[in-house]
Structure formats: C-alpha cells, structure tokens
Amino acid sequence: MFGTVSKKAMFGRIREDISVVRERDPAARSSLEVLLCYPGVHTLILHRVASALWRMRLTTPARFVSHIGRFLTGIEVHPGAQIGRRVFIDHGMGVVIGETAIVGDDCTIYQGVTLGGTSLTRGAKRHPTLEAGVVVGAGAKVLGSFTVGAGARIGSNSVVVKTVPPGATAVGIPARIISNDADQQREVQANRMGFSAYAITQGADDPLSIALHQLIDHVAEQDRRIDQLVELLERAGVQPPAPVCDAEPLDAKRLNRLVE
C-alpha cells in the first residue's frame, strides 16, 4: 500500500483530482488553491485511505478516517463506497454517500446530495449506482439500490427512487424523466460543454407542472369551443339545455399563474 508504485499512483490521482476541478469550476484559479481550499478534493484523498483500510478489514480505523474527513469537510463518505476517477464534489457540504454506493468515473456531485439506502438488510446492495458522467444537482436525494445511467442528470432538490435511463434528465419529487437526450445533438452539446452545472436543463419544469398547464389549456379550449357551439345553436333558434351547475367560468391565466 505504501510502496513506491502506490505513492506514484496516489500522487497521480491527486493531480487528476486537481485538474478536474480546474476544468469544471471557473472559480478555481490555481492548482495550489484547489489543493488547499477544495473540500471535495480533501474528501477523495481521505476516502482512498479509508477505503484501503476497509478492504483490509480494518473497519474501525476505516470508519475513523472517514469520520475525520466528515469533521474536516462536512462531506460524509462511507469507506465501503466505491468512488471512480475524476469525480468532482463541488462545495460538498452536506453530501452523504452510503456504504454500497458506486460513483462512476467523471461524475459531478453538488452540495447537499444524498446517495442513500432504503433497505436495512446487511450485506445487500442498498445504495444507488451512478454510471459514468452523471451530474447530481444540489440537494438531490437518490435513494435505493438502482442505477442512474451514464450521462444522466438529476435536477437540484429532486428525489429519485427508481432507475434513470442513460442520458436522461430527471426532476421533481418524486423525480420524473423530462427528457432523454441520447440523440446526436445532445451528445455534441455534452462534448462541447463537458458537463451541466447543477444538472440545469433548458425548460426543465417539473413534469407535474407541465401536465397541469396542459390540462388547464385543454379545458380552456374546450370551454371556448362549447361557447361557440351554444352561440351557433341560439342563432339557429335552438335553445340549449340549461347548465347543470352554476360554476364560475374557468380563468386559465390565473390558474396557470398559480401552477407556476
């Protein structure tokens, strides 16, 4: 573990961690600043030590190292969690990554994210798997033993409780898929930008909000057509039946503002 080759590999990973931060965070001005001031980098370094101890079955020392990391950074990563390469934990305060979680290469995790488990079964896979390139926005909760596919994005404050397909964007509580960007145009944009800060997507409204807007507009259009039919009947000398109830006319604009 502490041989020359391991030391070279360790310092190589640290250089990789620093370069990733400088690539994805425009606020990072120098490698020294990143090394001294970015808790996500500190967390990854300490996690590698804790993970090595965990694999050696030195579970209490491993937990103690991770506890020190939590005290110093505000980021809690269980030593049993598997963290890939070039992972960027931005800001990081309040991030929790559970024991059986797997975070793939090139993932980005923002502050307040929880990769949590919903099962109490010992020895079982209880936490989510993030495949390569996933972006998890601030405050999102990914709960359960399922997979978030490569390149997927989880919107800020979303609660994800089921599988997210590769390249998809999930938002809301519970999270719903609002787009699946596996087409060529999405890949071109992703390659150009590198990743989506905070998993922000253009037009990423809550799917429930979108559905309510569509229903309101649909009912408003039906009311308009009914009023036209009643007017045509009256012109033709046909008396339409009286309304069943005295409901107020639908105010589509007001209802849409309330949904927003």
Side-chain angles (χ1 to χ4, degrees):
M1 174 182 173
F2 298 104
T4 305
V5 176
S6 293
K7 284 182 180 178
K8 285 182 179 179
M10 178 180 69
F11 286 114
R13 292 289 292 274
I14 292 173
R15 284 194 294 269
E16 195 173 63
D17 296 335
I18 292 171
S19 67
V20 165
V21 173
R22 297 198 65 184
E23 175 187 324
R24 302 185 194 176
D25 187 358
R29 290 173 172 79
S30 71
S31 296
L32 181 61
E33 178 187 352
V34 172
L35 182 62
L36 295 178
C37 304
Y38 276 70
V41 173
H42 306 156
T43 294
L44 294 173
I45 294 170
L46 288 170
H47 174 70
R48 288 172 195 137
V49 176
S51 180
L53 293 170
W54 185 264
R55 293 193 300 271
M56 296 166 64
R57 299 187 183 279
L58 300 173
T59 55
T60 300
R63 291 299 300 270
F64 184 66
V65 171
S66 67
H67 183 68
I68 291 174
R70 177 179 179 272
F71 176 78
L72 294 174
T73 66
I75 302 169
E76 182 175 342
V77 184
H78 193 283
Q82 300 177 40
I83 309 295
R85 302 182 67 165
R86 299 175 300 279
V87 170
F88 180 29
I89 302 176
D90 196 10
H91 303 294
M93 180 63 71
V95 167
V96 177
I97 300 177
E99 178 184 2
T100 62
I102 300 174
V103 179
D105 297 342
D106 302 301
C107 288
T108 301
I109 297 173
Y110 287 93
Q111 67 271 18
V113 166
T114 298
L115 305 183
T118 55
S119 168
L120 300 178
T121 306
R122 287 183 184 274
K125 179 78 165 68
R126 309 188 312 277
H127 301 84
T129 295
L130 308 185
E131 293 186 342
V134 171
V135 181
V136 187
K141 316 301 176 190
V142 187
L143 308 174
S145 177
F146 54 86
T147 298
V148 178
R153 289 165 290 180
I154 309 300
S156 296
N157 295 317
S158 299
V159 178
V160 183
V161 293
K162 60 184 179 181
T163 298
V164 178
T169 298
V171 299
I173 305 175
R176 299 171 178 84
I177 306 302
I178 62 169
S179 67
N180 194 323
D181 296 325
D183 55 63
Q184 187 176 4
Q185 183 179 0
R186 168 20 172 103
E187 292 183 9
V188 170
Q189 284 292 94
N191 291 332
R192 184 184 305 164
M193 297 181 63
F195 79 109
S196 302
Y198 290 95
I200 293 296
T201 303
Q202 291 294 329
D205 290 333
D206 188 321
L208 183 59
S209 173
I210 294 172
L212 287 173
H213 281 302
Q214 290 176 343
L215 286 171
I216 291 168
D217 292 342
H218 181 72
V219 172
E221 177 61 18
Q222 281 190 327
D223 281 356
R224 188 183 69 82
R225 297 296 297 275
I226 290 171
D227 288 341
Q228 288 178 339
L229 289 172
V230 169
E231 184 179 349
L232 289 172
L233 288 172
E234 288 177 342
R235 287 179 183 176
V238 178
Q239 184 62 37
V244 177
C245 61
D246 295 327
E248 294 184 3
L250 180 74
D251 188 345
K253 290 184 178 179
R254 183 180 67 85
L255 290 176
N256 277 320
R257 284 196 299 268
L258 289 175
V259 172
E260 292 172 358

